[in-house]
């Protein structure tokens, strides 16, 4: 567990404006060592007016995740559990979390993520401008033992963009535009409306990984964009 601290507050400049809410979905398979700190970090870094809920999808972990963090205690941090009795893998777990989410925006994180300060601001801003826009965070390095970030890249740099080759492999790339050809993985924000308009995740995809390629192609070919 993380030490208790003050939760961030909504900036005064945003208090009189309509706000989209977010549901953070955490697909977790046997991540007993990290999921609590991830959920707490999300809670502390997201204003109450913005965070609708944290959906923890327990992908048939043994023992169940809620044995490590009781539902009544987790609920104080805005957490609700979705338990899959049979392992569905990453893609199936993410789909189950999306179906349980009720916020305007679905944010998919892994269960070993510490969001940066004001991480939610570009999600709300960019998707408010265009609901068909997915927003990808820059990936940094987290020391999961100390729960501290290291090797913070300079603004405008870092790992976030990929491209796709004809052998269905994705490779890292950089350029000076905000647009992302292929998202790098499972960390993203997308409006709930747009997620389901493009069909969610493919139920025929099994195991862990590959959904970033499918989802990127769906977004672009259906008239959306990724930034």
């Amino acid at each position: 567990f993380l030490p208790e601290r003050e939760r961030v507050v909504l900036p005064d400049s945003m208090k009189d404006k309509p706000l989209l809410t977010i549901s953070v979905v955490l697909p977790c398979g046997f991540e007993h060592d990290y999921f609590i700190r991830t959920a707490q970090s999300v809670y502390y870094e997201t204003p109450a007016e913005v965070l609708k809920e944290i959906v923890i999808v327990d992908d048939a972990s043994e023992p169940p995740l809620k044995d490590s963090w009781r539902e009544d205690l987790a609920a104080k941090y805005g957490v609700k559990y979705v338990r899959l009795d049979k392992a569905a893998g990453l893609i199936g777990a993410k789909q189950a979390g999306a179906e349980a989410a009720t916020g305007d925006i679905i944010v998919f994180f892994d269960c070993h993520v510490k969001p940066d300060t004001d991480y939610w601001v570009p999600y709300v801003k960019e998707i408010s401008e265009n609901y068909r826009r997915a927003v990808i965070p820059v990936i940094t390095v987290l020391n999961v033992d100390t729960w501290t970030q290291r090797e913070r890249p300079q603004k405008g740099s870092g790992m976030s963009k990929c491209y796709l080759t004809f052998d269905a492999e994705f490779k890292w790339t950089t350029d000076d535009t905000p647009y992302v050809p292929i998202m790098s993985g499972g960390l993203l924000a997308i409006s709930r409306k747009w997620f389901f308009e493009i069909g969610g995740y493919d139920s025929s995809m099994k195991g862990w990984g590959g959904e970033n390629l499918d989802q990127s192609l769906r977004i672009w070919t259906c008239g959306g964009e990724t930034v």
Side-chain angles (χ1 to χ4, degrees):
F1 291 90
L2 296 177
E4 290 190 15
R5 61 181 175 89
E6 291 294 323
R7 189 178 186 181
V8 299
V9 297
L10 192 69
D12 290 338
S13 60
M14 303 179 76
K15 287 183 177 178
D16 296 327
K17 299 178 180 178
L19 276 177
L20 297 180
T21 59
I22 67 174
S23 296
V24 176
V25 173
L26 304 177
C28 303
F30 293 88
E31 294 193 77
H32 300 82
D33 293 337
Y34 309 123
F35 83 97
I36 296 175
R37 284 179 287 173
T38 297
Q40 288 180 313
S41 297
V42 168
Y43 174 84
Y44 287 130
E45 292 297 343
T46 318
E49 296 90 341
V50 175
L51 184 63
K52 187 72 174 288
E53 65 212 344
I54 301 170
V55 182
I56 294 179
V57 184
D58 184 353
D59 192 22
S61 303
E62 288 298 339
L65 296 178
K66 63 184 178 181
D67 289 358
S68 300
W69 199 17
R70 291 200 331 253
E71 288 183 86
D72 58 326
L73 299 178
K76 296 178 182 179
Y77 291 86
V79 167
K80 69 179 184 182
Y81 286 104
V82 174
R83 166 77 178 178
L84 304 181
D85 293 325
K86 182 178 179 181
L90 174 62
I91 299 161
K94 291 174 71 173
Q95 180 69 26
E99 291 172 359
T102 60
D104 301 310
I105 298 170
I106 303 173
V107 175
F108 293 102
F109 283 155
D110 291 329
C111 254
H112 43 268
V113 166
K114 180 184 179 183
D116 202 5
T117 302
D118 293 335
Y119 81 95
W120 56 273
V121 175
Y123 296 168
V124 171
K125 176 180 179 296
E126 297 290 342
I127 294 173
S128 293
E129 294 174 357
N130 180 4
Y131 88 94
R132 294 181 175 181
R133 178 181 289 159
V135 185
I136 310 302
V138 171
I139 300 171
T140 60
V141 179
L142 178 66
N143 184 323
V144 294
D145 295 320
T146 62
W147 210 246
T148 57
Q149 181 180 234
R150 63 175 185 266
E151 301 174 17
R152 174 70 179 170
Q154 294 183 348
K155 187 174 182 179
S157 64
M159 299 166 64
S160 60
K161 297 186 179 189
C162 294
Y163 66 95
L164 180 65
T165 53
F166 283 107
D167 57 359
E169 292 288 338
F170 65 94
K171 299 174 174 63
W172 296 102
T173 186
T174 58
D175 59 39
D176 295 328
T177 75
Y179 298 105
V180 178
I182 296 292
M183 63 181 71
S184 56
L187 278 61
L188 72 142
I190 186 170
S191 73
R192 189 176 186 281
K193 180 180 179 181
W194 183 231
F195 177 83
F196 286 105
E197 277 188 12
I198 60 174
Y201 288 116
D202 189 335
S203 62
S204 296
M205 297 179 74
K206 305 298 182 182
W208 293 74
E211 82 282 6
N212 59 316
L213 308 181
D214 177 72
Q215 191 170 46
S216 297
L217 293 173
R218 285 175 187 243
I219 289 170
W220 285 113
T221 57
C222 291
E225 61 186 22
T226 304
V227 297

